[in-house]
């Protein structure tokens, strides 16, 4: 009796494990945009990719037997976020048109219709030509309380530059007493502050901002990273 009971328990455990494995395989993957970050949810795991890090989007599909497809979101540093599906979700494609400047849903559908049974599409790439962002400058003065002689304890004058292209903005600061220096501070999208990292130093808006600042004679440019200001090479 104990032997049969053990065998029955083992068979039950194997069945449960197999069921969980199948559930993991079939669990649908979802991709959402939250505060400027692509978030992929797949069963019990999550993967994140900030939009400012996104370099290109590819689409692979196979329609030989049934249909399966994979979206690939590739970051500037080579990180890949992939999303597998058994169909083309038109609502998701419309979301991409909202999220990615220059992406056209109709152009994608036409390219897919003209493709082969098994094919890969180069769906979207971050602009390679230098952007022409909207640039605004605001002067700021930061001064302390005056001392006995009427002189402020400290006095700083600096300009805040805002570079904007679509929904994305980049901010930089330059002090008046060091006109050849500029500090890149952060990105902002839909009111959410996004950090500048090594992964997005090739982001088109950042490259355009650096070009503009250098054109103003600011030859020493750094950025505010996780560990303070880091030189921009």
């Amino acid at each position: 009796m104990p032997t049969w009971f053990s065998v029955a328990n083992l068979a039950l455990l194997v069945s449960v494990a197999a069921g969980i494995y199948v559930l993991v395989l079939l669990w649908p993957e979802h991709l959402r945009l939250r505060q400027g970050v692509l978030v992929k949810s797949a069963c019990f795991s999550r993967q994140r990719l900030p939009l400012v890090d996104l370099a290109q989007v590819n689409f692979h599909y196979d329609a030989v037997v049934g249909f399966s497809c994979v979206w690939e979101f590739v970051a500037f540093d080579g990180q890949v976020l992939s999303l597998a599906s058994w169909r083309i979700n038109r609502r998701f494609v419309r979301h991409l048109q909202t999220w990615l400047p220059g992406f056209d849903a109709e152009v994608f559908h036409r390219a897919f219709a003209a493709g082969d049974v098994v094919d890969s599409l180069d769906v979207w790439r971050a602009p390679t030509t230098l952007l022409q962002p909207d640039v605004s400058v605001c002067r700021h003065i930061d001064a302390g309380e005056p001392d006995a002689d009427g002189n402020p304890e400290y006095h700083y004058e600096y300009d805040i530059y805002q570079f904007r292209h679509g929904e994305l903005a980049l901010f930089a600061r330059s002090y008046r007493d060091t006109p050849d220096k500029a500090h890149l501070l952060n990105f902002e999208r839909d009111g959410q502050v996004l950090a500048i990292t090594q992964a997005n130093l090739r982001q088109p808006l950042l490259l355009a901002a650096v070009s503009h600042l250098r054109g103003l004679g600011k030859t020493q440019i750094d950025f505010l990273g996780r560990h303070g200001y880091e030189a921009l090479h």
Side-chain angles (χ1 to χ4, degrees), residues 6-154:
S6 299
V7 171
N9 281 344
L10 180 60
L12 178 61
L13 288 175
V14 170
S15 299
V16 171
I20 293 175
Y21 178 73
V22 171
L23 179 63
V24 170
L25 289 179
L26 298 180
W27 193 282
E29 299 178 340
H30 299 282
L31 187 68
R32 296 179 175 85
L33 181 66
R34 295 178 178 173
Q35 299 180 353
V37 179
L38 292 172
V39 181
K40 171 189 171 182
S41 302
C43 198
F44 306 111
S45 65
R46 286 190 176 184
Q47 186 179 0
R48 293 173 172 81
L49 177 61
L51 272 185
V52 294
D53 296 358
L54 188 60
Q56 67 184 78
V57 180
N58 303 317
F59 179 74
H60 311 285
Y61 67 91
D62 185 334
V64 175
V65 179
F67 182 84
S68 62
C69 62
V70 176
W71 294 88
E72 279 186 350
F73 298 83
V74 185
F76 287 107
D77 63 355
Q79 176 190 354
V80 177
L81 186 155
S82 61
L83 182 72
S85 180
W86 303 104
R87 64 188 179 92
I88 296 179
N89 187 323
R90 288 183 171 271
R91 182 180 179 185
F92 175 71
V93 174
R94 289 196 299 271
H95 283 324
L96 290 181
Q97 185 167 273
T98 303
W99 299 345
L100 306 177
F103 176 81
D104 190 314
E106 291 304 318
V107 171
F108 166 77
H109 289 303
R110 287 198 298 269
F112 171 72
D116 209 338
V117 177
V118 178
D119 212 340
S120 295
L121 304 179
D122 187 348
V123 174
W124 179 87
R125 287 180 180 269
T128 54
T129 57
L130 205 59
L131 297 179
Q132 298 296 324
D134 295 325
V135 183
S136 60
V137 186
C138 184
R139 175 69 51 81
H140 292 262
I141 298 177
D142 186 9
E145 295 295 329
D147 58 18
D149 298 325
N151 299 316
E153 297 177 357
Y154 58 88

Side-chain angles (χ1 to χ4, degrees), residues 190-202:
D190 297 330
Q192 299 295 325
V193 174
L194 303 171
I196 300 174
T197 66
Q198 291 288 342
N200 56 41
L201 290 182
R202 291 170 53 202

Side-chain angles (χ1 to χ4, degrees), residues 168-184:
L168 186 64
L170 173 68
F171 293 89
R173 177 174 58 211
S174 180
Y175 288 95
R176 298 287 292 173
D177 59 348
T178 53
D180 61 332
K181 296 181 179 180
H183 313 283
L184 304 178

